[in-house]
């Protein structure tokens, strides 16, 4: 059973005292837990239910020896890092906002019970952590400190980043604190206006008689087979043939959905085509298995 559904059923059983609660019991409890608000809506207390995007997973243990997994995930409603003046000092310090969810039980690959925490960061924060080991260490220590403060759980700093993007069958929703002011209250209308302008711009470009299909910007990252570290590949540094994964980041700013994207891959070549907009041919720096190509689309909400 999905851990998120299993957790909801456990809460319903505990609250109602029923071993087999009805669907009405479940829906009533769900509305109570979310204050009757749908995902993305701000409630009366300034909270918002969100579904974050997966990032990477940290594995460690607590003092009892029980395994603990931290899902380092992202959502744009969590603020990015910022420099702020330190109290009684002329120097600045960095503030890195995060949102920590409640722990839940899961199972490790041997069937043992473990605990899982979801820690939400701004997308730019997690991107920086994946590119900078020192910054990633900072995020891990901040997460451990927050877990200790909020849940009185002390975690071992002897941790490792494992080859998972998310621990769990499905990504759990989380209630986070919404931003103050009109940024949130007017978000829906602002986004709608932005989409309308973007759509009109795309149509104008696509219908232009002298328009030439452009080559989109792209970057290549390699994930090392030895320690699963992800690093930027500039064609000189790094060894792609020793990598467990090649990660191409292709920017398609004129698109709002994946509709119209034609993506083909072979052992040596990746080809992307969007009629009247984009044309790209990328030769892999080493031979790959084309059946392992797994596109992930990340468009604006």
């Amino acid at each position: 059973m999905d851990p998120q559904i299993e957790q909801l059923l456990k809460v319903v059983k505990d609250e109602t005292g029923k071993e087999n609660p009805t669907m009405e019991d479940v829906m009533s409890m769900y509305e109570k837990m979310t204050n009757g608000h749908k995902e993305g809506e701000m409630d009366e207390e300034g909270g918002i239910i969100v579904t974050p995007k997966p990032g990477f997973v940290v594995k460690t243990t607590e003092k009892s020896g029980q395994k603990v997994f931290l899902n380092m995930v992202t959502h744009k409603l969590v603020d990015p890092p910022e420099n702020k003046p330190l109290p009684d000092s002329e120097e600045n310090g960095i503030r890195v906002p995060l949102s920590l969810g409640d722990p839940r039980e899961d199972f490790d690959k041997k069937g043992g019970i473990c605990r899982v925490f979801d820690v939400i960061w701004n997308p730019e924060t997690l991107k920086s952590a994946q590119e900078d080991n020192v910054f990633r260490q900072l995020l891990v220590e901040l997460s451990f400190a927050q877990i200790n403060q909020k849940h009185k759980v002390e975690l071992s700093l002897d941790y490792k980043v494992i080859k998972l993007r998310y621990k769990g069958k499905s990504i759990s929703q989380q209630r986070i604190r919404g931003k103050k002011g009109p940024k949130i209250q007017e978000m829906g209308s602002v986004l709608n206006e932005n989409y309308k302008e973007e759509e009109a711009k795309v149509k104008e470009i696509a219908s232009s008689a002298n328009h030439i299909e452009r080559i989109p910007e792209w970057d290549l990252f390699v994930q090392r087979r030895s320690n699963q570290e992800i690093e930027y590949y500039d064609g000189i540094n790094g060894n792609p043939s020793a990598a467990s994964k090649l990660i191409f980041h292709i920017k398609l700013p004129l698109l709002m959905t994946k509709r119209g994207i034609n993506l083909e891959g072979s052992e040596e070549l990746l080809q992307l085509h969007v009629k009247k907009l984009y044309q790209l041919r990328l030769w892999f720096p080493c031979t790959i298995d084309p059946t392992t190509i797994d596109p992930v689309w990340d468009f604006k909400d």
Side-chain angles (χ1 to χ4, degrees):
M1 182 184 294
D2 188 305
Q4 194 170 345
I5 298 175
E6 191 172 9
Q7 184 180 12
L8 177 60
L9 284 175
K10 183 178 183 300
V11 173
V12 174
K13 288 179 182 179
D14 291 343
E15 289 289 325
T16 62
K18 298 178 181 178
E19 184 59 32
N20 297 302
T22 65
M23 182 57 68
E24 288 184 4
D25 294 327
V26 174
M27 293 307 298
S28 175
M29 181 57 63
Y30 179 78
E31 288 189 10
K32 182 179 178 182
M33 291 171 67
T34 60
N35 294 323
H37 290 267
K38 298 178 181 178
E39 180 172 351
E41 290 183 352
M42 181 180 288
D43 59 33
E44 292 77 7
E45 298 176 352
I48 299 177
I49 302 295
V50 300
T51 303
K53 295 181 180 179
F56 62 89
V57 178
V58 174
K59 177 184 176 183
T60 185
T61 58
E62 52 182 287
K63 276 190 172 181
S64 65
Q66 185 179 41
K67 291 179 183 177
V68 176
F69 295 86
L70 273 65
N71 288 317
M72 309 294 258
V73 294
T74 70
H75 198 281
K76 64 183 182 181
L77 289 183
V78 176
D79 288 332
E82 61 176 333
N83 288 314
K84 297 193 73 174
L86 294 173
D88 303 321
S89 173
E90 296 181 357
E91 297 182 355
N92 284 346
I94 185 171
R95 173 181 174 268
V96 188
L98 64 90
S99 179
L100 174 65
D102 292 327
R104 64 180 184 276
E105 286 190 348
D106 206 324
F107 299 94
D108 61 22
K109 60 183 179 182
K110 294 182 180 179
I113 295 176
C114 61
R115 282 214 268 190
V116 181
F117 293 89
D118 285 3
V119 189
I120 308 182
W121 309 88
N122 182 272
E124 290 301 316
T125 303
L126 217 61
K127 181 181 178 183
S128 298
Q130 290 171 322
E131 297 170 353
D132 185 339
N133 292 342
V134 175
F135 188 65
R136 186 179 68 187
Q137 173 77 18
L138 171 65
L139 297 196
V140 172
E141 292 183 7
L142 284 174
S143 301
F144 285 9
Q146 186 72 3
I147 289 171
N148 189 14
Q149 179 182 343
K150 185 176 180 181
H151 299 290
K152 310 304 178 186
V153 176
E154 189 173 342
L155 300 176
S156 169
L157 285 173
D158 184 17
Y159 71 90
K160 63 179 179 179
V161 177
I162 62 175
K163 196 176 180 180
L164 281 178
R165 296 193 67 209
Y166 191 83
K167 173 65 175 173
K169 292 182 180 179
S170 63
I171 299 177
S172 296
Q173 290 183 325
Q174 189 166 314
R175 182 179 181 273
I176 67 173
R177 184 182 300 171
K179 298 178 183 178
K180 297 179 181 179
K183 271 188 179 178
I184 295 294
Q185 296 168 1
E186 300 175 5
M187 183 172 290
S189 59
V190 170
L191 287 178
N192 286 336
E193 289 301 317
N194 288 344
Y195 288 167
K196 289 177 182 178
E197 291 178 12
E198 188 174 1
E199 186 177 10
K201 182 180 177 183
V202 170
K203 287 181 179 179
E204 181 182 350
I205 293 174
S207 61
S208 173
N210 10 350
H211 173 68
I212 300 175
E213 292 174 345
R214 64 189 66 187
I215 299 175
E217 294 182 18
W218 61 276
D219 293 300
L220 172 59
F221 299 86
V222 295
Q223 186 172 44
R224 297 178 186 173
R225 185 176 289 110
S226 58
N227 57 10
Q228 302 307 311
E229 295 286 344
I230 295 176
E231 61 182 16
Y232 177 73
Y233 179 65
D234 58 6
I236 301 175
N237 299 310
N239 181 12
S241 61
S244 63
K245 185 184 294 185
L246 302 178
I247 303 170
F248 285 93
H249 181 215
I250 304 172
K251 299 177 182 178
L252 307 172
L254 294 176
L255 300 183
M256 293 172 287
T257 71
K258 63 181 180 180
R259 186 182 304 172
I261 299 178
N262 182 19
L263 187 68
E264 296 180 1
S266 64
E267 293 182 351
E268 300 176 339
L269 178 68
L270 181 71
Q271 298 185 82
L272 180 144
H273 183 229
V274 182
K275 190 176 181 181
K276 295 186 178 182
L277 291 178
Y278 294 111
Q279 176 77 33
L280 180 65
R281 289 165 59 88
L282 291 175
W283 294 94
F284 296 127
C286 57
T287 302
I288 63 113
D289 178 0
T291 62
T292 63
I293 296 176
D294 182 21
V296 177
W297 313 105
D298 183 12
F299 296 100
K300 295 178 181 178
D301 294 340

